[in-house]
Amino acid sequence: MAHMRRQGKGSIGRTVMGLFFIMIGVVVCSVGAFGAMDVYCRSDIDIWAPIYPGAELVDETRSGFIRPRASGLTEQVYYTPDAEGDVEEWFRDYRAELVEGRYNVADPNAALGPQVATIQRIVRVAEDGVGSEIEYNLECAYN
């Protein structure tokens, strides 16, 4: 009986090409997932940490991946000539509208608050005693 030799159906070139396309697929899926999370973070932060009307950005520190107020860490300080009490009242009214008003109609979970972002907002009298500073500490998809 003669020894039968197995015929190879593939080649090293095909294997390398297959691995290359698998790696490309992994990269595309990872970038797509990361991009989707960044968009979702930005949307969550824009809804739950709005920028006070007319406020001016005076300081920003970020460890974000792509852009501020999205995935990663962002610390921002805004200045407004409005009094601290007026600013706090605007944020209270905004929050009430958000959880009780038009935003809540289509989504019964809207009143729960931010879904993926951790948001801290501090309103204080400006250092020069005139107007207010609004500090945001934002974190999303960072850990």
Side-chain angles (χ1 to χ4, degrees), residues 50-129:
I51 298 171
Y52 184 77
E56 174 186 334
L57 181 65
V58 293
D59 188 27
E60 179 177 70
T61 305
R62 66 183 178 127
S63 301
F65 299 115
I66 298 176
R67 56 192 172 156
R69 296 180 62 87
S71 58
L73 301 172
T74 304
E75 295 177 13
Q76 293 178 317
V77 178
Y78 288 84
Y79 171 79
T80 179
D82 297 345
E84 180 183 11
D86 294 341
V87 175
E88 285 288 0
E89 182 179 356
W90 184 86
F91 279 111
R92 269 193 308 276
D93 291 346
Y94 177 86
R95 174 72 182 213
E97 175 65 23
L98 189 62
V99 298
E100 299 167 3
R102 61 188 166 92
Y103 291 103
N104 203 14
V105 173
D107 182 4
N109 295 322
L112 297 175
Q115 302 296 310
V116 294
T118 302
I119 297 168
Q120 181 184 24
R121 177 184 40 80
I122 301 165
V123 179
R124 61 181 173 260
V125 175
E127 291 179 12
D128 62 3

Side-chain angles (χ1 to χ4, degrees), residues 21-33:
F21 283 117
I22 289 172
M23 289 183 346
I24 293 295
V26 168
V27 168
V28 167
C29 287
S30 297
V31 168

